[in-house]
Amino acid sequence: MNSYIPQWRLSLTAGEHSARHIRRIVRSLLDEWGLSPLCDAAELGVTELVANVVRHVPDRRCVVLLLRLESGVRVEVADGVPGLPLPVAGPDTEAEHGRGLVLLDAVVDKWGVGPRSGGGKVVWFECGPR
């Protein structure tokens, strides 16, 4: 049995345009892995998670990890801030922020957050064929 799991990992200091570049990489990898139908959900999800790093992590440092699963893809974004994000109940429709995790929940199969080894947290999501 082959234990190799196709994956991609990037450590970066996220800036305002980082999500755009990461979306391109996500699309390229999913195309290569034969998972093109998952591109829209995965791109939207990773955009929201990287935007949260830019908005809520003081040093903006994070690690983005994509893992090819048997039936889809898992995307993780880890940072050094231990505070866990919580979806806003009934976000203000006029507010510019506060709907990212609600949106994430609507487009991916499952997502979660947990502690990161060495401190901080990992926010992740998984997408599969619908």
Side-chain angles (χ1 to χ4, degrees), residues 2-21:
N2 184 357
S3 63
Y4 172 73
I5 299 172
Q7 61 182 291
W8 175 81
R9 181 180 189 274
L10 175 66
S11 296
L12 73 144
T13 301
E16 291 181 25
H17 302 290
S18 296
R20 175 180 48 180
H21 300 298

Side-chain angles (χ1 to χ4, degrees), residues 22-23 26-27 30 35-49 66 72-75 100 103-111 124-130:
I22 293 170
R23 279 194 307 270
V26 167
R27 180 167 294 274
L30 293 180
L35 297 173
S36 298
L38 306 181
C39 285
D40 290 342
E43 287 181 61
L44 181 60
V46 77
T47 297
E48 290 302 325
L49 298 186
L66 273 73
V73 65
R74 178 180 176 104
V75 178
L103 183 60
L104 181 68
D105 190 55
V107 300
V108 303
D109 294 323
K110 58 185 173 179
W111 70 275
W124 60 270
F125 66 86
E126 293 180 2
C127 299
R130 293 189 174 217

Side-chain angles (χ1 to χ4, degrees), residues 7-118:
Q7 61 182 291
W8 175 81
R9 181 180 189 274
L10 175 66
S11 296
L12 73 144
T13 301
E16 291 181 25
H17 302 290
S18 296
R20 175 180 48 180
H21 300 298
I22 293 170
R23 279 194 307 270
R24 289 181 187 154
I25 294 166
V26 167
R27 180 167 294 274
S28 177
L29 284 169
L30 293 180
D31 286 345
E32 181 180 318
W33 293 343
L35 297 173
S36 298
L38 306 181
C39 285
D40 290 342
E43 287 181 61
L44 181 60
V46 77
T47 297
E48 290 302 325
L49 298 186
V50 170
N52 283 345
V53 169
V54 171
R55 196 170 295 118
H56 301 293
V57 176
D59 66 6
R60 294 184 172 187
R61 293 176 57 201
C62 66
V63 177
V64 179
L65 175 67
L66 273 73
L67 298 167
R68 169 69 165 97
L69 303 176
E70 192 172 308
S71 64
V73 65
R74 178 180 176 104
V75 178
E76 299 181 358
V77 176
D79 64 59
V81 175
L84 302 179
L86 299 171
V88 176
D92 180 357
T93 58
E94 299 296 319
E96 289 186 33
H97 306 292
R99 291 181 295 277
L101 294 177
V102 173
L103 183 60
L104 181 68
D105 190 55
V107 300
V108 303
D109 294 323
K110 58 185 173 179
W111 70 275
V113 60
R116 176 185 185 191
S117 174

